[in-house]
Amino acid sequence: MFPRETIPAGPVTLRPPAESDADAIARACADPETQRFIPVLPRPYTREHAVGYITGIAEEGWRAGGAEFVMADPDSGEAQGVIGLKPADRFGNVEVGYWVAPWVRGKGVATAALRAVTGWAFDHGAPRVHLVAEMENVGSQKVALGAGFRHEGLSRGAGPIPGGGRADMALFGRLPGDSGEPIRPFLPFLPPGGLTDGVVTLTMLTGDDAPAYQLVASLPDVVKYRVPPEAPPFEETLYRCRGAAYRWLVGIQAEMAIRDAATGAYAGDIQLSHLTPPMREAMVGYSLHSDFRGRGLVTRAVQLLAEWAFTKTSMRRLISGTNPDNLASQAVLERAGFTRGQTQKEYLPGPGGTWTDNVEWLRLR
Ligand SMILES: CC(C)(COP(=O)(O)OP(=O)(O)OC[C@H]1O[C@@H](n2cnc3c(N)ncnc32)[C@H](O)[C@@H]1OP(=O)(O)O)[C@@H](O)C(=O)NCCC(=O)NCCS
């Protein structure tokens, strides 16, 4: 049981909801982004739903052993968001959920409220606090990391998508013994507009890139060197592109579109994968549409990426691998400052159940 208290939380004060909050809650919960990422909200969301939340759902939450707070402006008392702790599950774990009104986003309100309510839950005996955020809800994931929650994995098909279907949910948790310090992503996001040398621009892959990515990934001479050597189904490509920001934020992989800087046209993709933080190593891979070949674009892309990795992350070893027949890719790596290493026998899955050799490449910081 949590006590009904008021909790100071930096830019906001957390207090139990009151009927006077109904208008602000109704206005905020009608916001499309709130509706998208909190699929249990009724739609359209009306003032009656807000009153039902305040007098029914929130009251029931408190009675059942949870806690429901409005994030209130300390001066005006106006509701700026909601944060709630569900009643503990059978192992004592407490799940937290929140939203912030669109008109106060980006000011650190959610992060401050999450940090405060989590500390308060620990003070009242919670052994663990966790939250789930849809894979594409990078804003909420940043809030979790900012409040010292560790990324713990991705639960497949764990949440409903408004309108039908299921979404993968990222899980973040904090234990009382964790420092609670903000967790800085291992891979910082690219600057606005991406990385550019004036000829090539690298931008984080997004769902909008999926058709162009699919086109490149299906070219016969790209398929030949893919692992495994098959064109991906489009659903896989769409999922990859939509989840790129999540994987980037939690330090799994950095996936980028290679664009013609002059026109912004999608030319191909480049990524840092197989991150091994203790060795501060990552693997570079890329593919380019045939229309853009022969202009040195991939070499520039690899150079830009290496420059970024060596100056903006703690990476000190970039590795790559090529099929021994792939002379074009070997020329790219050589021009981008990589040195050729050993040939690994029967390393890569080839066509028809065969195995092909792999040439190792390395560029040190
Ligand atoms: C997610 C949400 C709660 C964030 O609230 P907020 O008060 O704006 O969050 P903060 O200001 O504390 O932001 C923390 C960080 O996330 C970033 N961020 C916030 N929204 C973002 C978004 N949509 N995309 C990318 N980054 C975002 C902020 O810039 C900030 O990053 P910084 O520390 O690098 O500057 C709010 O956007 C919201 O209510 N969304 C809809 C409902 C929802 O998703 N709830 C959570 C369900 S799990």
Side-chain angles (χ1 to χ4, degrees):
M1 274 295 172
F2 291 114
R4 287 190 199 223
E5 291 178 349
T6 294
I7 308 171
V12 284
T13 301
L14 309 185
R15 56 152 174 85
E19 279 197 52
S20 53
D21 296 321
D23 286 333
I25 291 179
R27 198 148 66 95
C29 288
D31 157 58
E33 194 167 322
T34 311
Q35 292 255 325
R36 161 141 193 244
F37 289 126
I38 308 191
V40 294
L41 290 181
R43 53 191 55 212
Y45 195 96
T46 63
R47 192 173 189 284
E48 285 65 49
H49 292 122
V51 173
Y53 162 73
I54 295 160
T55 58
I57 297 171
E59 277 305 309
E60 184 41 42
W62 281 105
R63 270 199 298 274
E68 292 286 330
F69 295 101
V70 152
M71 306 173 192
D73 181 302
D75 299 323
S76 68
E78 198 209 351
Q80 301 193 320
V82 157
I83 188 159
L85 300 170
K86 296 224 175 80
D89 72 12
R90 66 192 200 282
F91 299 125
N93 306 307
V94 173
E95 181 179 336
V96 59
Y98 46 82
W99 57 257
V100 166
W103 56 91
V104 281
R105 286 186 191 153
K107 295 180 180 163
V109 163
T111 308
L114 179 59
R115 175 175 293 286
V117 86
T118 304
W120 182 80
F122 291 150
D123 290 344
H124 290 89
R128 169 184 161 87
V129 177
H130 64 250
L131 67 93
V132 290
E134 203 188 290
M135 180 178 75
E136 291 184 58
N137 193 354
V138 173
S140 183
Q141 295 161 20
K142 278 193 185 172
V143 168
L145 294 178
F149 281 62
R150 259 197 236 172
H151 173 244
E152 298 180 330
L154 189 67
S155 306
R156 291 174 307 135
I161 297 177
R166 304 282 297 178
D168 290 356
M169 305 292 286
L171 175 66
F172 293 82
R174 237 184 90 178
L175 301 181
D178 292 346
S179 76
E181 288 300 310
I183 294 176
R184 277 193 48 216
F186 182 62
L187 299 169
F189 278 169
L190 299 181
L195 300 176
T196 190
D197 64 358
V199 176
V200 151
T201 300
L202 305 184
T203 57
M204 184 190 290
L205 219 50
T206 71
D208 293 342
D209 295 318
Y213 183 102
Q214 181 70 17
L215 200 68
V216 175
S218 307
L219 295 172
D221 59 354
V222 171
V223 170
K224 189 174 164 194
Y225 297 126
R226 279 176 65 85
V227 181
E230 293 156 9
F234 183 67
E235 305 75 66
E236 189 183 305
T237 294
L238 192 58
Y239 179 84
R240 170 192 291 268
C241 293
R242 286 182 172 164
Y246 155 73
R247 288 189 299 277
W248 192 305
L249 183 70
V250 302
I252 295 173
Q253 207 156 315
E255 295 144 288
M256 283 153 265
I258 304 173
R259 299 183 184 282
D260 179 328
T263 63
Y266 182 100
D269 63 278
I270 184 163
Q271 72 289 135
L272 282 184
S273 63
H274 298 75
L275 266 64
T276 41
M279 270 108 100
R280 299 207 251 143
E281 180 183 275
M283 181 186 279
V284 181
Y286 41 78
S287 17
L288 198 73
H289 193 285
S290 35
D291 289 356
F292 291 90
R293 293 190 195 153
R295 288 157 49 183
L297 298 190
V298 177
T299 303
R300 287 175 174 275
V302 175
Q303 273 163 336
L304 269 174
L305 179 56
E307 214 58 38
W308 175 80
F310 289 149
T311 55
K312 301 291 184 218
T313 80
S314 58
M315 228 82 77
R316 52 176 298 278
R317 284 173 65 85
L318 289 183
I319 58 169
S320 192
T322 59
N323 184 304
D325 299 343
N326 194 349
L327 301 181
S329 185
Q330 292 169 24
V332 163
L333 290 170
E334 247 162 29
R335 283 199 299 259
F338 282 69
T339 46
R340 190 185 176 110
Q342 292 184 348
T343 299
Q344 297 159 304
K345 285 304 206 193
E346 299 200 7
Y347 188 79
L348 301 166
T354 59
W355 290 89
T356 57
D357 296 350
N358 178 54
V359 182
E360 290 180 310
W361 294 84
L362 170 68
R363 182 170 158 185
L364 285 175
R365 189 177 197 133

